[in-house]
Amino acid sequence: MIVHAHNYTPEACDIYSSLIEAFRKNRIRAKLCDVLYQPFIDNGIATETDIQPLEKTITPDSGRIMLSIGGDGTFLEAAKSVLTSNIPILGINKGRLGFLSELQPNQISWAMGELLRGAYRTAQLDVLSVYEGDKREPIDYALNEFSVSKCDNSSMLTIHAYVDGDYLTTYWADGLIIATATGSTAYSLSVGGPIAYPSTPSFIITPIAPHNLSIRPIVVPNNVAIKLIVEGRGPKILTSMDGRTHLMEGDCQLRIGKSPFSVRRVQLEGHSFFATLRDKLMWGADRRNSNS
């Protein structure tokens, strides 16, 4: 078992202690990331017989499952760290919304038992690869979304979009989002994009504050290549992959497509996408619905 977190927070000691107790109960010697290993030892949460440090490079042999402790941002970090190892991730929610990290801290002991007896399934989630110009190696990957946007208070961008070489349209907007089905409930949703079931083989192209009112989000298959020719009036533009930002030249070309690998997300019994929609986003909430 691997444990990942963005940082060590003393206020989460109850979660950490519950996790170590569950490991001891089930005779699991877990591997902890750097930000957790030494603080666990120093604060008496665990001993060296309970845990060991996680190696710098994660391989398929590093562990059977990764536990991500935090919010959805931490889950996205965890996803990038296991991209090529195919290790599935289970998110323990220590954040606010917890859409990807849906396991609650009081469910840790139960969850460990379910994992050990194999009472779970995994869902394959698409990953985006982002390329600059004609370069063969991607500049980054994204599980939720890729976005390009203007910097600071500069003027809106002009973005010419092509799908598999076929001209789509030109966006005059503050930016553009390319989201996976998993990311449909994140940034894309906040600017008017549709919700998609996480395993739906699709990408969602959603403009940010478009100047042409007839422009609406569009859903395309996940096997297409999306090309963006970006023209900015400022010297720089901002690109973002799951919140990791890069400054790029004001005029550039970008290619976005499906990665050859995916992220495996652990799903335990009793947890479903539709239940999460209703619970986290209050989707369909109406007092006329007895189940709302």
Side-chain angles (χ1 to χ4, degrees):
M1 198 79 70
I2 304 170
V3 183
H4 172 86
H6 180 68
N7 53 26
Y8 172 84
T9 52
E11 60 269 22
C13 278
D14 287 347
I15 297 176
Y16 302 146
S17 297
S18 296
L19 200 57
I20 295 300
E21 182 181 345
F23 289 157
R24 287 171 178 161
K25 178 181 177 181
N26 295 285
R27 298 182 181 180
I28 299 171
R29 189 167 184 237
K31 296 180 179 180
L32 271 64
C33 64
D34 287 347
V35 299
L36 292 183
Y37 178 76
Q38 200 58 48
F40 271 41
I41 300 292
D42 294 342
N43 291 281
I45 297 171
T47 66
E48 292 180 356
T49 59
D50 300 314
I51 58 176
Q52 61 187 102
L54 178 64
E55 53 266 28
K56 295 294 184 183
T57 302
I58 299 176
T59 68
D61 296 326
S62 297
R64 191 170 60 138
I65 292 173
M66 173 176 278
L67 302 177
S68 168
I69 305 176
D72 288 348
T74 305
F75 187 99
L76 294 173
E77 286 180 1
K80 188 175 183 187
S81 72
V82 297
L83 275 183
T84 57
S85 65
N86 204 34
I87 296 174
I89 308 170
L90 175 63
I92 301 172
N93 183 28
K94 191 175 68 68
R96 287 167 290 183
L97 183 60
F99 204 90
L100 291 169
S101 302
E102 60 184 9
L103 186 71
Q104 298 307 308
N106 61 4
Q107 298 176 301
I108 289 175
S109 180
W110 164 78
M112 290 303 104
E114 296 292 283
L115 294 176
L116 286 176
R117 69 185 186 91
Y120 66 92
R121 63 186 188 278
T122 59
Q124 301 280 353
L125 306 180
D126 286 341
V127 175
L128 292 172
S129 291
V130 182
Y131 303 83
E132 181 181 5
D134 295 325
K135 294 180 180 177
R136 299 180 64 86
E137 293 298 319
I139 58 174
D140 208 341
Y141 303 95
L143 173 62
N144 264 359
E145 76 275 314
F146 160 80
S147 68
V148 55
S149 58
K150 65 179 187 177
C151 284
D152 304 319
N153 295 318
S154 57
S155 300
M156 63 183 176
L157 301 177
T158 302
I159 305 171
H160 309 285
Y162 297 80
V163 176
D164 272 353
D166 191 11
Y167 175 65
L168 173 62
T169 190
T170 295
Y171 296 92
W172 288 272
D174 284 356
L176 192 68
I177 300 167
I178 312 297
T180 63
T182 304
S184 70
T185 51
Y187 192 10
S188 175
L189 179 64
S190 72
V191 294
I195 295 174
Y197 195 79
S199 59
T200 305
S202 62
F203 294 149
I204 301 164
I205 305 175
T206 310
I208 305 169
H211 193 261
N212 31 0
L213 298 180
S214 60
I215 289 291
R216 292 292 182 269
I218 186 170
V219 179
V220 298
N222 68 348
N223 60 352
V224 300
I226 299 171
K227 178 182 176 181
L228 305 178
I229 301 176
V230 184
E231 299 173 3
R233 296 183 183 178
K236 298 289 183 181
I237 60 169
L238 189 68
T239 60
S240 177
M241 280 68 89
D242 288 346
R244 300 181 302 275
T245 57
H246 303 263
L247 278 175
M248 300 183 69
E249 295 301 319
D251 295 334
C252 66
Q253 292 189 24
L254 299 162
R255 292 179 291 120
I256 303 97
K258 181 182 175 182
S259 299
F261 39 75
S262 59
V263 168
R264 297 169 64 203
R265 181 186 178 194
V266 173
Q267 293 183 320
L268 295 169
E269 190 68 30
H271 290 265
S272 76
F273 175 70
F274 300 123
T276 303
L277 275 184
R278 295 190 301 270
D279 181 44
K280 302 294 186 179
L281 297 183
M282 301 300 291
W283 187 80
D286 190 317
R287 56 184 172 184
R288 294 173 297 179
N289 297 332
S290 59
N291 293 325
S292 296

